Amino acid sequence: MTNVGFYASIAIIFAVLALGFNLQWGYTGLFNAGIAGFYLVGAYTMAIAITAPAPPIVIGGIPVYPGHLGGYSLPLAAGAILAMLASGTVAAVIALPALRLRADYLAIATLAFASILQIFANNLQSVTGGAIGITGIPKPIAFQTADAPFLNAITIVGIGSAILLFLLFLLQFMAESPWGRVLRAVREDEEATMALGKNTFNYKLQAFALGGSLMGLAGALFAVTLGYVSPSSSFAPAVTFSVWVMVIVGGSGNNRGAIVGAFLIYGLEWLSVQLKDYVPIALAAGFLSIRFALIVIGFIAAVSVGLLILLSWRKPTSVWGRVLRKIRERGWARNGVIGAFALYGLGWGFVLLEQYRPGAIGDTIFYLRLMFIGVLLILLIIYRPEGILREHKRVLR
């Protein structure tokens, strides 16, 4: 249950990140490739604001820990507000010159910003603790009992759920307001919106700053959840990519879709970790038969579907031909081909993994998750490009 609570708390954090990115890209059309940078600003601001003093640690004349800026011991609510203000301000400062660029250059500029922030966090040791990071971040409630990890997890999930629910209602209200309708107009046709007398730059600046502040809030929740922050692992560019996938899968321009995408995509990662830890090592030997079974099944399925398609073309007048033609017209044959090649490719994927990393069951599960996410994205692009939950568009009658 503690692991499930940890999953829910991290999924909530990603959901807040996805909501911030959805406000920027889904509603306004601003593609932000520096999500990890604003996430980092919020996490470090929270950590510096609420931790106790941490002077440098020197043992035998050798500096073991450089210390970090802080010692303010502020309440958690004050730290979260400061994290939002810091990330929102940084987002506004970055947006002032960057929003005048085209979409692709805006993405490059924000990506460079995130990389620069990560480098600064690694090198400003007296401020951020360097590569070691900041530890000892207090929890909302300091439980001392034997089941303290479970109680801490449940407390953080409760606080995060309340924040997420409040943000959902607030963003839904903002999206349906005149301000939100202008954002969607900017996304669809900025020049037409300008012709109607709207200052599109101000609206884009507001959306970018508000999205950045939500990412800072996610960073604050992350710092409290884990109890430490470090620049190398927690704020890598992979975080930005993960949030992109969450919003795309859930449906851009849909706040509920962003939340669903966050829980789904992070759930795949969490499940892969659980499988890696709990699946018996004896299954590693079983992959030899599983992968060849997948190849054989995929090959037979692909050949069978191909023969069915050929027969439906060669005998269109017979009853069997009409049935096959109906199957082909409804797309079942196409879906069968896609599924067959997916199985075939999955089998060969196991073969390649076993060839280069024998017995690597953990890596196999990890790459299987990546393959599944890739297949999911391809299927969404082909069959439902709006995502799982489509954006609700009101029609004037």
Side-chain angles (χ1 to χ4, degrees), residues 7 30 64 69 80-81 103 122 150 195 212-213 218 255 317 323 354:
Y7 155 72
L30 302 174
V64 178
L69 180 65
I81 293 173
N122 264 314
F150 172 73
S213 65
N255 293 316
T317 57
V323 172
E354 190 71 18

Side-chain angles (χ1 to χ4, degrees), residues 19-39:
L19 287 175
F21 180 61
N22 190 46
L23 180 62
Q24 295 173 341
W25 181 56
Y27 282 107
T28 321
L30 302 174
F31 195 78
N32 179 9
I35 297 172
F38 303 111
Y39 188 40

